[in-house]
Amino acid sequence: MTFRHGQSPPPVPPDLPWVAVVEDDAVLLTGLVTALDGVPGVRPFTNLDEVLDDDAYESASGVVLVLGPSQVSEALLDRVAAAVQVEAATAALVVVEQADAATLRLVVRSGLRDAIPVEAVSEDLGPAVVELQERLRGAVSAARPPGAPDEPARPPGGRVVTVYSPKGGVGKSVVAVNLATLLARDKSRRVVLVDFDLQFGDTALMLRLKPDHDVSEAATADDRLDTVLLENLLTRDDRTGLRVLAAPPDPTRAEKVTAKTASALIELLRSVADYIVVDTAPILDDTTLQVLSESDDIVYVVGMDVPSVKNARLGLQALELVQVPLRRVLLVLNRADSRVHLAVRDVERSLRMKVDAALPSDALVPQSVNRGTPAVLEFERSRFTGRMREIVDLLLARAASKE
């Protein structure tokens, strides 16, 4: 299976990602490649630059990086995470000499898929790589084919506004609840708030609701799901006028919701609501990607800290990878006036996007969350409410321009 660097790689199915094994120790490199015997498309490299300079890197449908122990450094893993992993349809895992706590923290922080100890390579490396190949193949096939129009015709019915952030703790759910509440203030609009943070969704809690039904019930209804059943699954909040489809109360029920069922649910929600505001988990799994791809607008929430900005950059690259037009994105900076040695212009420079709205850091917001009342209702004259209204105005203007 091994071959000299520079030779043509063995043929790989056109839709299957190839595998780049990177290790500067020749003996260990040979051992890693041998452990992948039978896995198609494996090629050895002595450093990451060789991979990036290889012609196949640009033309392949995906690349699985297997980084040997010599590649486990903070600088290199940051480079893989920030510059390669999402941008080039690449997944990565590392082989480590010792799976100590410090090494594992470094791997997890870098967002790599797995860390396999050297002694487990012969048993675990092959299955892990094959799993990543299949995962990447699924992600690539989900993207629109080359030559497809950038912006397909918008589905008829209500508009889908998805609130997303690739990092937790930035106020995404607060934005979703308050955004939906402001949209629903116009009684002529029917607004549904859907919680697709399937394991740890809090929108019902933030509204002090105790729903009898949740989104997993809609997902398992299959052919029985129609507008009548959907109406029965929604919980009405009399204070805001919102209809809410809550996240499952048991995280184990999240697996009942798939990308396919999420798509069918969104299509049906368009027929019963003027606006569907979707809260999401801070991950990019198949379901979240499906929801984002079907959204008319994406309210993209970023916090005022370096990890949040780094994740935001990777998330935007992921949207481009699956061909979600970035013109759908409304960039919202939360707690924008925090004195944290990071300015709005720094965020814009890093993301190469203008911030569309900047929400202030306001103690009234966590107070409203603890009381179970949206801040835009309880504190109508606050700076936070004023900025949230600006976001609503931007969304309404976008909708009007596309009618």
Side-chain angles (χ1 to χ4, degrees):
M1 165 171 195
T2 58
F3 56 94
R4 293 185 180 87
H5 182 62
Q7 286 184 326
S8 298
V12 185
D15 63 339
L16 186 69
W18 58 289
V19 182
V21 183
V22 187
E23 170 57 44
D24 63 17
D25 183 302
V27 175
L28 188 50
L29 177 60
T30 300
L32 294 176
V33 173
T34 301
L36 293 172
D37 190 33
V39 177
V42 175
R43 300 184 60 188
F45 296 87
T46 58
N47 59 67
L48 184 61
D49 287 328
E50 287 183 357
V51 181
L52 301 181
D53 292 339
D54 196 283
D55 291 340
Y57 182 74
E58 293 294 336
S59 60
S61 59
V63 182
V64 176
L65 279 176
V66 177
L67 305 175
S70 67
Q71 308 300 301
V72 182
S73 69
E74 184 172 359
L76 191 140
L77 293 186
D78 278 349
R79 185 182 174 198
V80 170
V84 178
Q85 186 173 359
V86 174
E87 184 176 322
T90 302
L93 58 80
V94 296
V95 175
V96 296
E97 293 281 6
Q98 188 174 6
D100 56 74
T103 301
L104 292 179
R105 277 198 301 271
L106 181 61
V107 170
V108 170
R109 185 180 67 81
S110 300
L112 274 69
R113 294 289 188 179
D114 205 353
I116 298 175
V118 169
E119 62 268 20
V121 159
S122 60
E123 190 171 325
D124 296 342
L125 184 59
V129 168
V130 170
E131 180 185 351
L132 288 182
Q133 280 184 309
E134 292 300 325
R135 188 176 300 178
L136 276 182
R137 174 152 61 177
V140 172
S141 65
R144 292 198 300 273
D150 282 348
E151 194 72 77
R154 195 182 80 82
R159 291 184 66 85
V160 176
V161 179
T162 296
V163 184
Y164 176 70
S165 174
K167 185 177 183 299
V170 300
K172 169 183 55 61
S173 296
V174 170
V175 171
V177 168
N178 283 276
L179 175 61
T181 299
L182 283 176
L183 283 169
R185 293 298 293 273
D186 185 336
K187 301 304 179 185
S188 66
R189 293 192 202 106
R190 199 163 194 270
V191 181
V192 176
L193 175 61
V194 184
D195 199 335
F196 268 113
D197 188 347
L198 299 171
Q199 290 188 311
F200 303 106
D202 290 324
T203 56
L205 181 65
M206 289 182 177
L207 290 166
R208 212 165 53 204
L209 296 176
K210 296 181 179 180
D212 295 321
H213 306 285
D214 63 80
V215 68
S216 69
E217 295 177 65
T220 55
D222 298 323
D223 294 339
R224 296 183 295 109
L225 185 62
D226 56 17
T227 56
V228 175
L229 176 57
L230 179 60
E231 292 286 357
N232 290 328
L233 296 178
L234 301 177
T235 301
R236 178 179 169 81
D237 179 30
D238 293 329
R239 296 168 304 163
T240 63
L242 285 173
R243 274 79 170 174
V244 178
L245 188 55
D250 181 355
T252 62
R253 290 164 63 177
E255 62 188 23
K256 297 179 181 294
V257 184
T258 65
K260 181 179 180 180
T261 57
S263 179
L265 179 57
I266 287 175
E267 182 180 358
L268 190 59
L269 282 165
R270 287 187 187 272
S271 68
V272 300
D274 299 298
Y275 275 88
I276 303 97
V277 177
V278 183
D279 192 16
T280 53
I283 56 176
L284 274 176
D285 59 6
D286 291 343
T287 301
T288 304
L289 282 171
Q290 185 67 41
V291 172
L292 290 168
S293 69
E294 298 196 22
S295 301
D296 298 293
D297 298 287
I298 299 169
V299 177
Y300 198 86
V301 184
V302 182
M304 286 294 287
D305 58 86
V306 171
S308 181
V309 175
K310 184 266 291 184
N311 283 17
R313 184 173 65 248
L314 294 178
L316 290 171
Q317 291 171 350
L319 294 182
E320 288 186 295
L321 174 66
V322 297
Q323 300 183 28
V324 175
L326 293 189
R327 59 177 168 271
R328 297 185 194 174
V329 172
L330 193 72
L331 189 60
V332 174
L333 191 58
N334 198 15
R335 308 183 188 101
D337 55 353
S338 301
R339 297 181 180 179
V340 290
H341 302 289
L342 192 66
V344 173
R345 64 179 178 275
D346 297 324
V347 177
E348 292 178 331
R349 187 181 303 116
S350 177
L351 301 183
R352 297 178 182 178
M353 289 183 69
K354 295 291 292 182
V355 170
D356 294 290
L359 297 173
S361 180
D362 198 328
L364 300 177
V365 176
Q367 291 175 24
S368 70
V369 171
N370 291 337
R371 291 172 183 164
T373 303
V376 295
L377 281 187
E378 190 168 7
F379 306 107
E380 292 192 41
R381 296 185 178 181
S382 67
R383 290 188 304 142
F384 175 82
T385 299
R387 295 297 174 84
M388 285 299 307
R389 287 197 183 106
E390 292 176 6
I391 297 174
V392 170
D393 290 341
L394 285 171
L395 291 170
L396 294 177
R398 286 184 170 205
S401 68
K402 295 175 182 178
E403 289 178 353

